[in-house]
Amino acid sequence: MKISIVGTGYVGLVTGACLASRGHQVSCVDIDQAKIDNLKRGEIPIFEPGLNEVVKEGINRGALTFTTSAKDSVANAQVVFLAVGTPPAEDGSADLKYVFQAVEDISPHLPNECVVVSKSTVPVGTNRKISEKFKLESEKTVFVASNPEFLREGKAIDDFMNPDRIVLGVDEPKAGLILKEVYKDFDCPIVETSIESAEMIKYASNAFLATKISFINEIANICEGVDANVKDVSKGMGLDPRIGEAFLSAGIGYGGSCFPKDVRALDQIAGLNGYDFKLLKSVIQVNNDQRWRFYKKIEGTLNPPHFPASPAGRQGGAGGGCRSFEGKKIAVLGLAFKAGTDDIRESIGIDFALKLIEDGSQVSVYDPQAMDNAREVLDGVEFCNSIEEAVDGSDAIVITTEWQEFRDFDFSKIADRLKQKNIFDGRNLSDPDCMQSLGIKYFGVGL
Ligand code: UGA
């Protein structure tokens, strides 16, 4: 089938490349000329395992092309996927300016009976508005549909090729048939719903996963008080298939470009519809508090409250005074918001590095993939090429991302090079007993 993808960001590029690999003829369009020029040469702007290969393979077969011309891209398309960004606006709602701009750009060029499908996460009701806009602006019949994506960064290719489900929100049976043809080679259940239900499925799925994370993080906080171990608790809970073990890893909270934005947007959607989504508000609050609770643990350990206040009025201790890390060197391991990506949006590692600098610490940082992106937002930190280099001479190591490299690292190699032997493991990656045997004080979450 002839398919156009509007927007070559993360979702658009993965969707385009994967559909090309499944036998479709795909044209990707973006307004960013430099990006399109790079993509034509097979240069991928993001780090996503496997994406490079799928894109190159599509280009070489002539099944995947790139253009800046909306007209050229959509003129013969049977299906057009909208995959432009919906960044959060000031009030937490999704900013839809790129979506409606894309609709305007493609509107005059769409062929009759083309299906325009939203991949972008948009508030419930948006596709209905898009449909109305087409009715006003185009003389052709344009079917609008919602087909939310459930791609995880770092695993996007596998998620796309082997989905758990494909959700198709359609109003017209004909649009449903065309979209089923797009996905005919995918072996998974297809959930065909109204457009509004499909839009809601996306928000509800992300909100539920975020709720699981905040739930286990609260359990972890209680575990610390009652001397229980949250890793064991998660395991014991997760084996119940009604609960499931996924997304029960306690830590310093969720970040990234999706959960924080989508959870806030759903709360906003609820409010606009006269409903106070109390549970979701708590999920957000717990997530915001979780990282700073951990930060205070670091502060309280390196600068305990019983230290006498300095004549300059410094109170010291957890949350007590400003510049509470004066004279300390802290190594932050992990700047990507999660493992498997170079994405630093809503990254807790970045937030910690910034706050540590503000609080007077010397900060060294290391991440296996996100160093280039981090350089653009971090000033005054030491960027290191390895774990060894980052932790050298530090008063504390703070692990903020669940990279396998950190999990596998042999800390006995560096134990003697630490100024103070403290590890604050915000992702519960290391074995506390092993750390103790190296004389390293180990602090996890809920252990
Ligand atoms: C998430 C969803 O998992 C995808 O299904 C969805 O398509 C995507 O958002 C989206 O809306 O586009 P992603 O943001 O890539 O995907 O990352 P996740 O793997 O879901 O992780 C999100 C955050 O939760 C990370 O910061 C991670 O460290 C944290 N997390 C995850 C935990 O703290 N504990 C867990 O047990 C799992």
Side-chain angles (χ1 to χ4, degrees), residues 149-151 153 202 206 247 249 255 258 337-338 402 427:
E149 55 84 15
F150 302 103
L151 309 175
E153 291 191 23
K202 169 68 189 191
N206 274 2
F247 281 73
S249 300
C258 304
F337 83 90
K338 68 167 192 177
E402 60 276 46
R427 299 291 175 187

Side-chain angles (χ1 to χ4, degrees), residues 377-396:
V377 295
L378 288 180
D379 225 5
V381 304
E382 185 192 347
F383 291 96
C384 300
N385 293 315
S386 64
I387 299 176
E388 286 90 336
E389 195 185 327
V391 304
D392 203 33
S394 62
D395 293 280

Side-chain angles (χ1 to χ4, degrees), residues 10-11 121 149-155 159 165 202 205-206 209-210 212-213 216-217 245-262 287 336-339 341 346 348 400-402 427:
Y10 186 77
V11 172
T121 304
E149 55 84 15
F150 302 103
L151 309 175
R152 288 164 298 173
E153 291 191 23
K155 299 204 167 100
D159 283 348
R165 77 294 206 191
K202 169 68 189 191
S205 300
N206 274 2
L209 292 171
K212 257 186 126 176
I213 297 172
I216 201 63
N217 283 340
E245 62 192 16
F247 281 73
L248 279 185
S249 300
I252 45 179
Y254 61 79
S257 64
C258 304
F259 284 178
K261 164 176 82 80
D262 291 350
N287 194 58
F337 83 90
K338 68 167 192 177
T341 178
E346 302 250 359
I348 298 172
T400 45
T401 312
E402 60 276 46
R427 299 291 175 187

Side-chain angles (χ1 to χ4, degrees), residues 51 122 138 150 168 179 203 224 228 235 239 287 377 405-406 437:
L51 180 59
V122 291
S138 177
F150 302 103
L168 301 178
L179 288 181
Y203 279 110
E224 289 183 5
K235 192 172 171 194
L239 287 169
N287 194 58
V377 295
E405 182 178 336
F406 302 159
S437 70

Side-chain angles (χ1 to χ4, degrees), residues 252 331-339 343-344 347-353 364-371 374 378 387 390 397-403 406 427 429:
I252 45 179
V332 176
L333 300 183
L335 301 169
F337 83 90
K338 68 167 192 177
D343 194 338
I344 55 165
S347 151
I348 298 172
I350 297 280
D351 283 358
F352 272 14
S364 53
V365 297
Y366 169 70
D367 186 282
Q369 287 297 339
M371 298 300 275
L378 288 180
I387 299 176
I397 299 168
V398 182
I399 299 175
T400 45
T401 312
E402 60 276 46
W403 284 106
F406 302 159
R427 299 291 175 187
L429 305 182

Side-chain angles (χ1 to χ4, degrees), residues 174-346:
K174 197 159 185 184
L177 288 175
I178 294 171
L179 288 181
K180 279 182 191 153
E181 184 66 17
V182 171
Y183 289 111
K184 74 176 178 356
D185 290 334
F186 289 78
D187 180 23
C188 70
I190 290 195
V191 182
E192 194 170 328
T193 69
S194 70
I195 291 178
E196 285 75 10
S197 299
E199 291 168 333
M200 185 54 113
I201 286 169
K202 169 68 189 191
Y203 279 110
S205 300
N206 274 2
F208 186 78
L209 292 171
T211 303
K212 257 186 126 176
I213 297 172
S214 279
F215 180 87
I216 201 63
N217 283 340
E218 292 220 272
I219 293 290
N221 297 343
I222 304 167
C223 282
E224 289 183 5
V226 300
D227 219 10
N229 181 319
V230 76
K231 280 190 182 179
D232 294 337
V233 174
S234 293
K235 192 172 171 194
M237 287 169 65
L239 287 169
D240 181 334
R242 293 170 304 172
I243 297 173
E245 62 192 16
F247 281 73
L248 279 185
S249 300
I252 45 179
Y254 61 79
S257 64
C258 304
F259 284 178
K261 164 176 82 80
D262 291 350
V263 171
R264 279 199 302 268
L266 182 55
D267 179 40
Q268 169 93 6
I269 292 166
L272 289 173
N273 286 281
Y275 187 76
D276 182 14
F277 201 153
K278 297 190 194 73
L279 180 59
L280 209 54
K281 285 195 170 66
S282 297
V283 168
I284 297 167
Q285 188 64 49
V286 169
N287 194 58
N288 289 342
D289 291 350
Q290 190 68 4
R291 69 187 66 181
W292 300 120
R293 190 184 148 89
F294 194 68
Y295 189 89
K296 286 192 173 171
K297 203 184 267 188
I298 308 168
E299 209 174 29
T301 306
L302 293 195
N303 189 12
H306 57 265
F307 273 14
S310 76
R314 177 172 147 206
Q315 292 157 31
C322 50
R323 313 286 293 172
S324 49
F325 286 98
E326 201 83 61
K328 302 286 191 289
K329 179 186 171 185
I330 316 271
V332 176
L333 300 183
L335 301 169
F337 83 90
K338 68 167 192 177
T341 178
D342 64 352
D343 194 338
I344 55 165
R345 284 175 286 180
E346 302 250 359

